[in-house]
Amino acid sequence: MIAPDMATMLAFVFTDAAVTAPVLQDLLREAVGSSFNCLTVDSDMSTSDTLLLFATGEARNAPIETTTSAAARAFAAALATVCRELAILVARDGEGATKLVTVEVEGAVSDASARRIALSIANSPLVKTAIHGQDANWGRVAMAVGKAGEPVELAALGIAFGGHAVARDGGAVPDLDEAPIARHLAGREVTITVRVGHGPGRARVWTCDLSHAYIDINGSYRS
Amino acid sequence: MIAPDMATMLAFVFTDAAVTAPVLQDLLREAVGSSFNCLTVDSDMSTSDTLLLFATGEARNAPIETTTSAAARAFAAALATVCRELAILVARDGEGATKLVTVEVEGAVSDASARRIALSIANSPLVKTAIHGQDANWGRVAMAVGKAGEPVELAALGIAFGGHAVARDGGAVPDLDEAPIARHLAGREVTITVRVGHGPGRARVWTCDLSHAYIDINGSYRS
């Protein structure tokens, strides 16, 4: 590879199903939108990220020739699951990662807006170091929501770690019991859920924490 | 402070000159555009960044009442210098910084486009760790140019460290002498200069490298 340090990703997915090439292309684009394109380790893009989907036809089914048939939808659902699992594996295996972090945003004005907010949180070095330090620092999450520049209803802002709310309706949760949150943050999988309003938009992205090993891997050698 | 970990910045600038308040405001906005707003440590915003400018009038000059007079332009130049020096001090003092990094972009379609490209480079964790590791990894700089999403003439792309070109006219410089580049990267001040085309747009921003200490400062405590 030309630049293996850039987390160059080559993904190959095979199915025995008989599916025509245009349908495969459409369904793959659909699956990527909620999997590989919702993945970030450090916001930096690889020069050669590749995802290829092959249909061998070995299953000898009646070929899937549209994206809307029942068979196509069942195939699309399975494909989305596979892509999501692969994307999560990439985040879990991010340079220096000690924790898989799932960021969920809901109540945004659109799915695209929710995704931009979720990526702003997932790419924030201050959020990623806080998670590494097992710190329920929701001020940093709120900061990352703000810097995304998307429409947000401040009075509706809510933030939870592992399902435990730390902020609700725009303010801190009173008399917060931190014990279950600390237990969640001590684990290998952390979920940050953020409500930014009452809109229909939602997104889920995956990332990892930012540790010393990220710097060792990316800074302690000469290319 | 509410969140001292977020590099909350309070800057106060005083002048003895007599300048009216509206002129002060206009000149400060002008100065900030090429100083504090060209500064990034980690892309994360503070909740309370503040810059206040006071004119005491102690100099007993004829009050500066327009932004265009010779006196106003002289004052504006001095103000810009002070703001730039303060902004550079913030970058130099960034969490865990071991190097001050100046990113210069030239040849962009506009100054605004150049600034977005420069900030993309300055905020890239892969660029920042490469600088920390004293690695003239210009592929990462090219990656950060690309992910900015701005118009770029690939055939004109040029990248230099400390004035020593590593890429020119869209390709690697042949038979590169790495010794002077290595000496530059070993220093406390690193300059990355990037040509992205033949347009009139240019920008200069300041940042720092990404070190273990950044993670210690931001991840190794509980808020």
mmCIF file with all atom_site columns, all heavy atoms in Angstrom, chain A residues 5 43-44 124 133 140 147 178 216 218-219 221-222, chain B residues 5 43-44 124 133 140 147 178 212 216 218-219 221-222:
data_model
loop_
_atom_site.group_PDB
_atom_site.id
_atom_site.type_symbol
_atom_site.label_atom_id
_atom_site.label_alt_id
_atom_site.label_comp_id
_atom_site.label_asym_id
_atom_site.label_entity_id
_atom_site.label_seq_id
_atom_site.pdbx_PDB_ins_code
_atom_site.Cartn_x
_atom_site.Cartn_y
_atom_site.Cartn_z
_atom_site.occupancy
_atom_site.B_iso_or_equiv
_atom_site.pdbx_formal_charge
_atom_site.auth_seq_id
_atom_site.auth_comp_id
_atom_site.auth_asym_id
_atom_site.auth_atom_id
_atom_site.pdbx_PDB_model_num
ATOM 1   N N   . ASP A 1 5   ? -0.455  3.886  6.829  1.00 0.00 ? 5   ASP A N   1
ATOM 2   C CA  . ASP A 1 5   ? -0.706  4.591  8.086  1.00 0.00 ? 5   ASP A CA  1
ATOM 3   C C   . ASP A 1 5   ? -2.002  5.375  8.054  1.00 0.00 ? 5   ASP A C   1
ATOM 4   O O   . ASP A 1 5   ? -2.467  5.878  9.070  1.00 0.00 ? 5   ASP A O   1
ATOM 5   C CB  . ASP A 1 5   ? 0.441   5.540  8.382  1.00 0.00 ? 5   ASP A CB  1
ATOM 6   C CG  . ASP A 1 5   ? 0.618   6.553  7.271  1.00 0.00 ? 5   ASP A CG  1
ATOM 7   O OD1 . ASP A 1 5   ? 1.073   6.148  6.194  1.00 0.00 ? 5   ASP A OD1 1
ATOM 8   O OD2 . ASP A 1 5   ? 0.274   7.728  7.464  1.00 0.00 ? 5   ASP A OD2 1
ATOM 9   N N   . SER A 1 43  ? -11.470 11.920 11.669 1.00 0.00 ? 43  SER A N   1
ATOM 10  C CA  . SER A 1 43  ? -11.955 12.883 10.668 1.00 0.00 ? 43  SER A CA  1
ATOM 11  C C   . SER A 1 43  ? -11.094 12.885 9.415  1.00 0.00 ? 43  SER A C   1
ATOM 12  O O   . SER A 1 43  ? -11.472 13.492 8.415  1.00 0.00 ? 43  SER A O   1
ATOM 13  C CB  . SER A 1 43  ? -12.031 14.316 11.206 1.00 0.00 ? 43  SER A CB  1
ATOM 14  O OG  . SER A 1 43  ? -10.786 14.987 11.112 1.00 0.00 ? 43  SER A OG  1
ATOM 15  N N   . ASP A 1 44  ? -9.937  12.220 9.461  1.00 0.00 ? 44  ASP A N   1
ATOM 16  C CA  . ASP A 1 44  ? -9.046  12.236 8.315  1.00 0.00 ? 44  ASP A CA  1
ATOM 17  C C   . ASP A 1 44  ? -9.385  11.112 7.348  1.00 0.00 ? 44  ASP A C   1
ATOM 18  O O   . ASP A 1 44  ? -9.553  9.963  7.741  1.00 0.00 ? 44  ASP A O   1
ATOM 19  C CB  . ASP A 1 44  ? -7.594  12.123 8.778  1.00 0.00 ? 44  ASP A CB  1
ATOM 20  C CG  . ASP A 1 44  ? -7.085  13.446 9.322  1.00 0.00 ? 44  ASP A CG  1
ATOM 21  O OD1 . ASP A 1 44  ? -7.718  14.484 9.028  1.00 0.00 ? 44  ASP A OD1 1
ATOM 22  O OD2 . ASP A 1 44  ? -6.069  13.457 10.026 1.00 0.00 ? 44  ASP A OD2 1
ATOM 23  N N   . SER A 1 124 ? -14.665 15.391 17.764 1.00 0.00 ? 124 SER A N   1
ATOM 24  C CA  . SER A 1 124 ? -14.112 16.369 18.714 1.00 0.00 ? 124 SER A CA  1
ATOM 25  C C   . SER A 1 124 ? -13.001 15.750 19.553 1.00 0.00 ? 124 SER A C   1
ATOM 26  O O   . SER A 1 124 ? -13.236 14.810 20.321 1.00 0.00 ? 124 SER A O   1
ATOM 27  C CB  . SER A 1 124 ? -15.218 16.871 19.641 1.00 0.00 ? 124 SER A CB  1
ATOM 28  O OG  . SER A 1 124 ? -14.644 17.452 20.803 1.00 0.00 ? 124 SER A OG  1
ATOM 29  N N   . GLY A 1 133 ? -10.738 9.298  29.191 1.00 0.00 ? 133 GLY A N   1
ATOM 30  C CA  . GLY A 1 133 ? -10.543 9.498  30.625 1.00 0.00 ? 133 GLY A CA  1
ATOM 31  C C   . GLY A 1 133 ? -11.762 9.115  31.458 1.00 0.00 ? 133 GLY A C   1
ATOM 32  O O   . GLY A 1 133 ? -11.792 9.371  32.658 1.00 0.00 ? 133 GLY A O   1
ATOM 33  N N   . ARG A 1 140 ? -18.546 19.276 27.003 1.00 0.00 ? 140 ARG A N   1
ATOM 34  C CA  . ARG A 1 140 ? -17.811 19.109 25.747 1.00 0.00 ? 140 ARG A CA  1
ATOM 35  C C   . ARG A 1 140 ? -18.734 18.603 24.632 1.00 0.00 ? 140 ARG A C   1
ATOM 36  O O   . ARG A 1 140 ? -18.575 18.978 23.475 1.00 0.00 ? 140 ARG A O   1
ATOM 37  C CB  . ARG A 1 140 ? -16.642 18.140 25.940 1.00 0.00 ? 140 ARG A CB  1
ATOM 38  C CG  . ARG A 1 140 ? -15.573 18.689 26.870 1.00 0.00 ? 140 ARG A CG  1
ATOM 39  C CD  . ARG A 1 140 ? -14.379 17.750 26.948 1.00 0.00 ? 140 ARG A CD  1
ATOM 40  N NE  . ARG A 1 140 ? -13.371 18.272 27.871 1.00 0.00 ? 140 ARG A NE  1
ATOM 41  C CZ  . ARG A 1 140 ? -12.249 17.648 28.166 1.00 0.00 ? 140 ARG A CZ  1
ATOM 42  N NH1 . ARG A 1 140 ? -11.979 16.477 27.619 1.00 0.00 ? 140 ARG A NH1 1
ATOM 43  N NH2 . ARG A 1 140 ? -11.377 18.185 29.005 1.00 0.00 ? 140 ARG A NH2 1
ATOM 44  N N   . LYS A 1 147 ? -20.658 23.753 17.791 1.00 0.00 ? 147 LYS A N   1
ATOM 45  C CA  . LYS A 1 147 ? -19.741 24.103 16.708 1.00 0.00 ? 147 LYS A CA  1
ATOM 46  C C   . LYS A 1 147 ? -20.137 23.472 15.377 1.00 0.00 ? 147 LYS A C   1
ATOM 47  O O   . LYS A 1 147 ? -19.595 23.847 14.332 1.00 0.00 ? 147 LYS A O   1
ATOM 48  C CB  . LYS A 1 147 ? -18.286 23.768 17.075 1.00 0.00 ? 147 LYS A CB  1
ATOM 49  C CG  . LYS A 1 147 ? -17.887 22.323 16.973 1.00 0.00 ? 147 LYS A CG  1
ATOM 50  C CD  . LYS A 1 147 ? -16.362 22.171 17.072 1.00 0.00 ? 147 LYS A CD  1
ATOM 51  C CE  . LYS A 1 147 ? -15.955 20.725 16.879 1.00 0.00 ? 147 LYS A CE  1
ATOM 52  N NZ  . LYS A 1 147 ? -14.514 20.525 16.686 1.00 0.00 ? 147 LYS A NZ  1
ATOM 53  N N   . GLU A 1 178 ? -24.177 9.549  39.718 1.00 0.00 ? 178 GLU A N   1
ATOM 54  C CA  . GLU A 1 178 ? -23.106 9.346  38.738 1.00 0.00 ? 178 GLU A CA  1
ATOM 55  C C   . GLU A 1 178 ? -22.626 7.905  38.658 1.00 0.00 ? 178 GLU A C   1
ATOM 56  O O   . GLU A 1 178 ? -21.912 7.543  37.728 1.00 0.00 ? 178 GLU A O   1
ATOM 57  C CB  . GLU A 1 178 ? -21.912 10.265 39.067 1.00 0.00 ? 178 GLU A CB  1
ATOM 58  C CG  . GLU A 1 178 ? -22.174 11.720 38.713 1.00 0.00 ? 178 GLU A CG  1
ATOM 59  C CD  . GLU A 1 178 ? -20.927 12.424 38.187 1.00 0.00 ? 178 GLU A CD  1
ATOM 60  O OE1 . GLU A 1 178 ? -19.941 11.712 37.850 1.00 0.00 ? 178 GLU A OE1 1
ATOM 61  O OE2 . GLU A 1 178 ? -20.925 13.648 38.119 1.00 0.00 ? 178 GLU A OE2 1
ATOM 62  N N   . ASP A 1 216 ? 1.258   7.433  19.201 1.00 0.00 ? 216 ASP A N   1
ATOM 63  C CA  . ASP A 1 216 ? 2.392   6.531  18.959 1.00 0.00 ? 216 ASP A CA  1
ATOM 64  C C   . ASP A 1 216 ? 2.315   5.965  17.540 1.00 0.00 ? 216 ASP A C   1
ATOM 65  O O   . ASP A 1 216 ? 3.302   5.946  16.808 1.00 0.00 ? 216 ASP A O   1
ATOM 66  C CB  . ASP A 1 216 ? 2.393   5.379  19.972 1.00 0.00 ? 216 ASP A CB  1
ATOM 67  C CG  . ASP A 1 216 ? 2.704   5.869  21.366 1.00 0.00 ? 216 ASP A CG  1
ATOM 68  O OD1 . ASP A 1 216 ? 3.378   6.913  21.500 1.00 0.00 ? 216 ASP A OD1 1
ATOM 69  O OD2 . ASP A 1 216 ? 2.268   5.226  22.332 1.00 0.00 ? 216 ASP A OD2 1
ATOM 70  N N   . ASN A 1 218 ? 0.672   7.108  14.895 1.00 0.00 ? 218 ASN A N   1
ATOM 71  C CA  . ASN A 1 218 ? 0.698   8.080  13.807 1.00 0.00 ? 218 ASN A CA  1
ATOM 72  C C   . ASN A 1 218 ? 1.832   9.095  13.883 1.00 0.00 ? 218 ASN A C   1
ATOM 73  O O   . ASN A 1 218 ? 2.045   9.832  12.922 1.00 0.00 ? 218 ASN A O   1
ATOM 74  C CB  . ASN A 1 218 ? -0.644  8.819  13.754 1.00 0.00 ? 218 ASN A CB  1
ATOM 75  C CG  . ASN A 1 218 ? -1.750  7.924  13.246 1.00 0.00 ? 218 ASN A CG  1
ATOM 76  O OD1 . ASN A 1 218 ? -1.638  7.368  12.157 1.00 0.00 ? 218 ASN A OD1 1
ATOM 77  N ND2 . ASN A 1 218 ? -2.793  7.755  14.040 1.00 0.00 ? 218 ASN A ND2 1
ATOM 78  N N   . GLY A 1 219 ? 2.530   9.139  15.015 1.00 0.00 ? 219 GLY A N   1
ATOM 79  C CA  . GLY A 1 219 ? 3.553   10.161 15.139 1.00 0.00 ? 219 GLY A CA  1
ATOM 80  C C   . GLY A 1 219 ? 4.946   9.644  15.424 1.00 0.00 ? 219 GLY A C   1
ATOM 81  O O   . GLY A 1 219 ? 5.926   10.370 15.257 1.00 0.00 ? 219 GLY A O   1
ATOM 82  N N   . TYR A 1 221 ? 6.989   7.506  13.980 1.00 0.00 ? 221 TYR A N   1
ATOM 83  C CA  . TYR A 1 221 ? 7.777   6.834  12.968 1.00 0.00 ? 221 TYR A CA  1
ATOM 84  C C   . TYR A 1 221 ? 8.000   7.819  11.834 1.00 0.00 ? 221 TYR A C   1
ATOM 85  O O   . TYR A 1 221 ? 7.385   8.874  11.764 1.00 0.00 ? 221 TYR A O   1
ATOM 86  C CB  . TYR A 1 221 ? 7.073   5.588  12.448 1.00 0.00 ? 221 TYR A CB  1
ATOM 87  C CG  . TYR A 1 221 ? 5.858   5.885  11.619 1.00 0.00 ? 221 TYR A CG  1
ATOM 88  C CD1 . TYR A 1 221 ? 5.938   5.913  10.219 1.00 0.00 ? 221 TYR A CD1 1
ATOM 89  C CD2 . TYR A 1 221 ? 4.644   6.181  12.208 1.00 0.00 ? 221 TYR A CD2 1
ATOM 90  C CE1 . TYR A 1 221 ? 4.837   6.216  9.462  1.00 0.00 ? 221 TYR A CE1 1
ATOM 91  C CE2 . TYR A 1 221 ? 3.540   6.484  11.444 1.00 0.00 ? 221 TYR A CE2 1
ATOM 92  C CZ  . TYR A 1 221 ? 3.650   6.500  10.071 1.00 0.00 ? 221 TYR A CZ  1
ATOM 93  O OH  . TYR A 1 221 ? 2.555   6.800  9.318  1.00 0.00 ? 221 TYR A OH  1
ATOM 94  N N   . ARG A 1 222 ? 8.881   7.461  10.964 1.00 0.00 ? 222 ARG A N   1
ATOM 95  C CA  . ARG A 1 222 ? 9.135   8.294  9.791  1.00 0.00 ? 222 ARG A CA  1
ATOM 96  C C   . ARG A 1 222 ? 8.595   7.579  8.562  1.00 0.00 ? 222 ARG A C   1
ATOM 97  O O   . ARG A 1 222 ? 8.813   6.395  8.374  1.00 0.00 ? 222 ARG A O   1
ATOM 98  C CB  . ARG A 1 222 ? 10.653  8.511  9.602  1.00 0.00 ? 222 ARG A CB  1
ATOM 99  C CG  . ARG A 1 222 ? 11.268  9.382  10.679 1.00 0.00 ? 222 ARG A CG  1
ATOM 100 C CD  . ARG A 1 222 ? 11.382  10.808 10.215 1.00 0.00 ? 222 ARG A CD  1
ATOM 101 N NE  . ARG A 1 222 ? 11.902  10.856 8.873  1.00 0.00 ? 222 ARG A NE  1
ATOM 102 C CZ  . ARG A 1 222 ? 11.664  11.836 8.031  1.00 0.00 ? 222 ARG A CZ  1
ATOM 103 N NH1 . ARG A 1 222 ? 10.909  12.817 8.374  1.00 0.00 ? 222 ARG A NH1 1
ATOM 104 N NH2 . ARG A 1 222 ? 12.172  11.820 6.829  1.00 0.00 ? 222 ARG A NH2 1
ATOM 105 N N   . ASP B 1 5   ? -10.793 23.713 31.381 1.00 0.00 ? 5   ASP B N   1
ATOM 106 C CA  . ASP B 1 5   ? -10.148 22.729 30.517 1.00 0.00 ? 5   ASP B CA  1
ATOM 107 C C   . ASP B 1 5   ? -10.371 23.024 29.045 1.00 0.00 ? 5   ASP B C   1
ATOM 108 O O   . ASP B 1 5   ? -9.734  22.448 28.182 1.00 0.00 ? 5   ASP B O   1
ATOM 109 C CB  . ASP B 1 5   ? -10.667 21.337 30.837 1.00 0.00 ? 5   ASP B CB  1
ATOM 110 C CG  . ASP B 1 5   ? -12.166 21.262 30.652 1.00 0.00 ? 5   ASP B CG  1
ATOM 111 O OD1 . ASP B 1 5   ? -12.892 21.846 31.476 1.00 0.00 ? 5   ASP B OD1 1
ATOM 112 O OD2 . ASP B 1 5   ? -12.603 20.648 29.678 1.00 0.00 ? 5   ASP B OD2 1
ATOM 113 N N   . SER B 1 43  ? -9.545  22.359 17.008 1.00 0.00 ? 43  SER B N   1
ATOM 114 C CA  . SER B 1 43  ? -10.816 22.590 16.311 1.00 0.00 ? 43  SER B CA  1
ATOM 115 C C   . SER B 1 43  ? -11.971 22.799 17.270 1.00 0.00 ? 43  SER B C   1
ATOM 116 O O   . SER B 1 43  ? -13.053 23.199 16.835 1.00 0.00 ? 43  SER B O   1
ATOM 117 C CB  . SER B 1 43  ? -11.181 21.461 15.340 1.00 0.00 ? 43  SER B CB  1
ATOM 118 O OG  . SER B 1 43  ? -11.854 20.400 16.000 1.00 0.00 ? 43  SER B OG  1
ATOM 119 N N   . ASP B 1 44  ? -11.775 22.524 18.551 1.00 0.00 ? 44  ASP B N   1
ATOM 120 C CA  . ASP B 1 44  ? -12.870 22.633 19.514 1.00 0.00 ? 44  ASP B CA  1
ATOM 121 C C   . ASP B 1 44  ? -12.949 24.050 20.063 1.00 0.00 ? 44  ASP B C   1
ATOM 122 O O   . ASP B 1 44  ? -11.943 24.628 20.474 1.00 0.00 ? 44  ASP B O   1
ATOM 123 C CB  . ASP B 1 44  ? -12.689 21.629 20.644 1.00 0.00 ? 44  ASP B CB  1
ATOM 124 C CG  . ASP B 1 44  ? -13.086 20.229 20.209 1.00 0.00 ? 44  ASP B CG  1
ATOM 125 O OD1 . ASP B 1 44  ? -13.791 20.117 19.179 1.00 0.00 ? 44  ASP B OD1 1
ATOM 126 O OD2 . ASP B 1 44  ? -12.686 19.266 20.866 1.00 0.00 ? 44  ASP B OD2 1
ATOM 127 N N   . SER B 1 124 ? -6.063  18.635 11.221 1.00 0.00 ? 124 SER B N   1
ATOM 128 C CA  . SER B 1 124 ? -5.952  17.208 10.928 1.00 0.00 ? 124 SER B CA  1
ATOM 129 C C   . SER B 1 124 ? -5.103  16.501 11.984 1.00 0.00 ? 124 SER B C   1
ATOM 130 O O   . SER B 1 124 ? -3.919  16.787 12.133 1.00 0.00 ? 124 SER B O   1
ATOM 131 C CB  . SER B 1 124 ? -5.298  17.009 9.561  1.00 0.00 ? 124 SER B CB  1
ATOM 132 O OG  . SER B 1 124 ? -4.776  15.687 9.471  1.00 0.00 ? 124 SER B OG  1
ATOM 133 N N   . GLY B 1 133 ? 5.929   13.857 15.315 1.00 0.00 ? 133 GLY B N   1
ATOM 134 C CA  . GLY B 1 133 ? 6.944   12.837 15.063 1.00 0.00 ? 133 GLY B CA  1
ATOM 135 C C   . GLY B 1 133 ? 8.038   13.304 14.109 1.00 0.00 ? 133 GLY B C   1
ATOM 136 O O   . GLY B 1 133 ? 8.874   12.507 13.688 1.00 0.00 ? 133 GLY B O   1
ATOM 137 N N   . ARG B 1 140 ? -0.124  13.351 3.995  1.00 0.00 ? 140 ARG B N   1
ATOM 138 C CA  . ARG B 1 140 ? -1.179  13.732 4.936  1.00 0.00 ? 140 ARG B CA  1
ATOM 139 C C   . ARG B 1 140 ? -1.630  15.173 4.711  1.00 0.00 ? 140 ARG B C   1
ATOM 140 O O   . ARG B 1 140 ? -2.807  15.498 4.874  1.00 0.00 ? 140 ARG B O   1
ATOM 141 C CB  . ARG B 1 140 ? -0.676  13.558 6.375  1.00 0.00 ? 140 ARG B CB  1
ATOM 142 C CG  . ARG B 1 140 ? -0.428  12.113 6.740  1.00 0.00 ? 140 ARG B CG  1
ATOM 143 C CD  . ARG B 1 140 ? -0.039  11.959 8.206  1.00 0.00 ? 140 ARG B CD  1
ATOM 144 N NE  . ARG B 1 140 ? 0.243   10.574 8.533  1.00 0.00 ? 140 ARG B NE  1
ATOM 145 C CZ  . ARG B 1 140 ? 0.636   10.153 9.728  1.00 0.00 ? 140 ARG B CZ  1
ATOM 146 N NH1 . ARG B 1 140 ? 0.784   11.026 10.715 1.00 0.00 ? 140 ARG B NH1 1
ATOM 147 N NH2 . ARG B 1 140 ? 0.855   8.883  9.944  1.00 0.00 ? 140 ARG B NH2 1
ATOM 148 N N   . LYS B 1 147 ? -9.732  16.876 1.765  1.00 0.00 ? 147 LYS B N   1
ATOM 149 C CA  . LYS B 1 147 ? -10.964 16.740 2.545  1.00 0.00 ? 147 LYS B CA  1
ATOM 150 C C   . LYS B 1 147 ? -11.607 18.083 2.852  1.00 0.00 ? 147 LYS B C   1
ATOM 151 O O   . LYS B 1 147 ? -12.748 18.126 3.308  1.00 0.00 ? 147 LYS B O   1
ATOM 152 C CB  . LYS B 1 147 ? -10.724 15.918 3.818  1.00 0.00 ? 147 LYS B CB  1
ATOM 153 C CG  . LYS B 1 147 ? -10.080 16.646 4.966  1.00 0.00 ? 147 LYS B CG  1
ATOM 154 C CD  . LYS B 1 147 ? -10.163 15.820 6.272  1.00 0.00 ? 147 LYS B CD  1
ATOM 155 C CE  . LYS B 1 147 ? -9.541  16.615 7.422  1.00 0.00 ? 147 LYS B CE  1
ATOM 156 N NZ  . LYS B 1 147 ? -9.837  16.047 8.747  1.00 0.00 ? 147 LYS B NZ  1
ATOM 157 N N   . GLU B 1 178 ? 16.606  15.440 2.070  1.00 0.00 ? 178 GLU B N   1
ATOM 158 C CA  . GLU B 1 178 ? 15.747  15.512 3.259  1.00 0.00 ? 178 GLU B CA  1
ATOM 159 C C   . GLU B 1 178 ? 16.416  16.168 4.454  1.00 0.00 ? 178 GLU B C   1
ATOM 160 O O   . GLU B 1 178 ? 15.751  16.508 5.431  1.00 0.00 ? 178 GLU B O   1
ATOM 161 C CB  . GLU B 1 178 ? 15.278  14.104 3.649  1.00 0.00 ? 178 GLU B CB  1
ATOM 162 C CG  . GLU B 1 178 ? 14.212  13.553 2.711  1.00 0.00 ? 178 GLU B CG  1
ATOM 163 C CD  . GLU B 1 178 ? 13.175  12.692 3.450  1.00 0.00 ? 178 GLU B CD  1
ATOM 164 O OE1 . GLU B 1 178 ? 13.122  12.761 4.692  1.00 0.00 ? 178 GLU B OE1 1
ATOM 165 O OE2 . GLU B 1 178 ? 12.441  11.975 2.770  1.00 0.00 ? 178 GLU B OE2 1
ATOM 166 N N   . HIS B 1 212 ? 1.254   13.383 23.460 1.00 0.00 ? 212 HIS B N   1
ATOM 167 C CA  . HIS B 1 212 ? 0.677   12.657 24.603 1.00 0.00 ? 212 HIS B CA  1
ATOM 168 C C   . HIS B 1 212 ? 0.114   13.612 25.642 1.00 0.00 ? 212 HIS B C   1
ATOM 169 O O   . HIS B 1 212 ? -0.913  13.341 26.268 1.00 0.00 ? 212 HIS B O   1
ATOM 170 C CB  . HIS B 1 212 ? 1.750   11.791 25.266 1.00 0.00 ? 212 HIS B CB  1
ATOM 171 C CG  . HIS B 1 212 ? 2.031   10.514 24.534 1.00 0.00 ? 212 HIS B CG  1
ATOM 172 N ND1 . HIS B 1 212 ? 2.875   9.555  25.022 1.00 0.00 ? 212 HIS B ND1 1
ATOM 173 C CD2 . HIS B 1 212 ? 1.579   10.038 23.357 1.00 0.00 ? 212 HIS B CD2 1
ATOM 174 C CE1 . HIS B 1 212 ? 2.934   8.548  24.163 1.00 0.00 ? 212 HIS B CE1 1
ATOM 175 N NE2 . HIS B 1 212 ? 2.162   8.819  23.144 1.00 0.00 ? 212 HIS B NE2 1
ATOM 176 N N   . ASP B 1 216 ? -3.156  13.745 28.160 1.00 0.00 ? 216 ASP B N   1
ATOM 177 C CA  . ASP B 1 216 ? -3.044  13.798 29.622 1.00 0.00 ? 216 ASP B CA  1
ATOM 178 C C   . ASP B 1 216 ? -3.852  14.964 30.177 1.00 0.00 ? 216 ASP B C   1
ATOM 179 O O   . ASP B 1 216 ? -4.604  14.832 31.144 1.00 0.00 ? 216 ASP B O   1
ATOM 180 C CB  . ASP B 1 216 ? -1.574  13.946 30.035 1.00 0.00 ? 216 ASP B CB  1
ATOM 181 C CG  . ASP B 1 216 ? -0.777  12.688 29.722 1.00 0.00 ? 216 ASP B CG  1
ATOM 182 O OD1 . ASP B 1 216 ? -1.387  11.605 29.681 1.00 0.00 ? 216 ASP B OD1 1
ATOM 183 O OD2 . ASP B 1 216 ? 0.443   12.793 29.529 1.00 0.00 ? 216 ASP B OD2 1
ATOM 184 N N   . ASN B 1 218 ? -6.337  16.650 28.784 1.00 0.00 ? 218 ASN B N   1
ATOM 185 C CA  . ASN B 1 218 ? -7.775  16.652 28.503 1.00 0.00 ? 218 ASN B CA  1
ATOM 186 C C   . ASN B 1 218 ? -8.485  15.351 28.838 1.00 0.00 ? 218 ASN B C   1
ATOM 187 O O   . ASN B 1 218 ? -9.711  15.305 28.802 1.00 0.00 ? 218 ASN B O   1
ATOM 188 C CB  . ASN B 1 218 ? -8.014  16.989 27.027 1.00 0.00 ? 218 ASN B CB  1
ATOM 189 C CG  . ASN B 1 218 ? -7.719  18.449 26.738 1.00 0.00 ? 218 ASN B CG  1
ATOM 190 O OD1 . ASN B 1 218 ? -8.307  19.324 27.350 1.00 0.00 ? 218 ASN B OD1 1
ATOM 191 N ND2 . ASN B 1 218 ? -6.791  18.701 25.832 1.00 0.00 ? 218 ASN B ND2 1
ATOM 192 N N   . GLY B 1 219 ? -7.732  14.304 29.136 1.00 0.00 ? 219 GLY B N   1
ATOM 193 C CA  . GLY B 1 219 ? -8.377  13.021 29.365 1.00 0.00 ? 219 GLY B CA  1
ATOM 194 C C   . GLY B 1 219 ? -8.109  12.405 30.721 1.00 0.00 ? 219 GLY B C   1
ATOM 195 O O   . GLY B 1 219 ? -8.805  11.489 31.132 1.00 0.00 ? 219 GLY B O   1
ATOM 196 N N   . TYR B 1 221 ? -8.433  13.341 33.859 1.00 0.00 ? 221 TYR B N   1
ATOM 197 C CA  . TYR B 1 221 ? -9.028  13.871 35.087 1.00 0.00 ? 221 TYR B CA  1
ATOM 198 C C   . TYR B 1 221 ? -10.532 13.755 34.958 1.00 0.00 ? 221 TYR B C   1
ATOM 199 O O   . TYR B 1 221 ? -11.062 13.490 33.889 1.00 0.00 ? 221 TYR B O   1
ATOM 200 C CB  . TYR B 1 221 ? -8.620  15.323 35.333 1.00 0.00 ? 221 TYR B CB  1
ATOM 201 C CG  . TYR B 1 221 ? -9.245  16.284 34.358 1.00 0.00 ? 221 TYR B CG  1
ATOM 202 C CD1 . TYR B 1 221 ? -10.406 16.963 34.691 1.00 0.00 ? 221 TYR B CD1 1
ATOM 203 C CD2 . TYR B 1 221 ? -8.688  16.474 33.089 1.00 0.00 ? 221 TYR B CD2 1
ATOM 204 C CE1 . TYR B 1 221 ? -11.006 17.814 33.780 1.00 0.00 ? 221 TYR B CE1 1
ATOM 205 C CE2 . TYR B 1 221 ? -9.282  17.326 32.186 1.00 0.00 ? 221 TYR B CE2 1
ATOM 206 C CZ  . TYR B 1 221 ? -10.441 17.988 32.536 1.00 0.00 ? 221 TYR B CZ  1
ATOM 207 O OH  . TYR B 1 221 ? -11.027 18.820 31.642 1.00 0.00 ? 221 TYR B OH  1
ATOM 208 N N   . ARG B 1 222 ? -11.197 13.957 36.047 1.00 0.00 ? 222 ARG B N   1
ATOM 209 C CA  . ARG B 1 222 ? -12.652 13.964 36.040 1.00 0.00 ? 222 ARG B CA  1
ATOM 210 C C   . ARG B 1 222 ? -13.122 15.392 36.231 1.00 0.00 ? 222 ARG B C   1
ATOM 211 O O   . ARG B 1 222 ? -12.642 16.088 37.103 1.00 0.00 ? 222 ARG B O   1
ATOM 212 C CB  . ARG B 1 222 ? -13.183 13.093 37.185 1.00 0.00 ? 222 ARG B CB  1
ATOM 213 C CG  . ARG B 1 222 ? -12.921 11.617 36.987 1.00 0.00 ? 222 ARG B CG  1
ATOM 214 C CD  . ARG B 1 222 ? -14.103 10.906 36.408 1.00 0.00 ? 222 ARG B CD  1
ATOM 215 N NE  . ARG B 1 222 ? -15.306 11.346 37.097 1.00 0.00 ? 222 ARG B NE  1
ATOM 216 C CZ  . ARG B 1 222 ? -16.502 11.320 36.553 1.00 0.00 ? 222 ARG B CZ  1
ATOM 217 N NH1 . ARG B 1 222 ? -16.670 10.912 35.327 1.00 0.00 ? 222 ARG B NH1 1
ATOM 218 N NH2 . ARG B 1 222 ? -17.559 11.721 37.226 1.00 0.00 ? 222 ARG B NH2 1
#
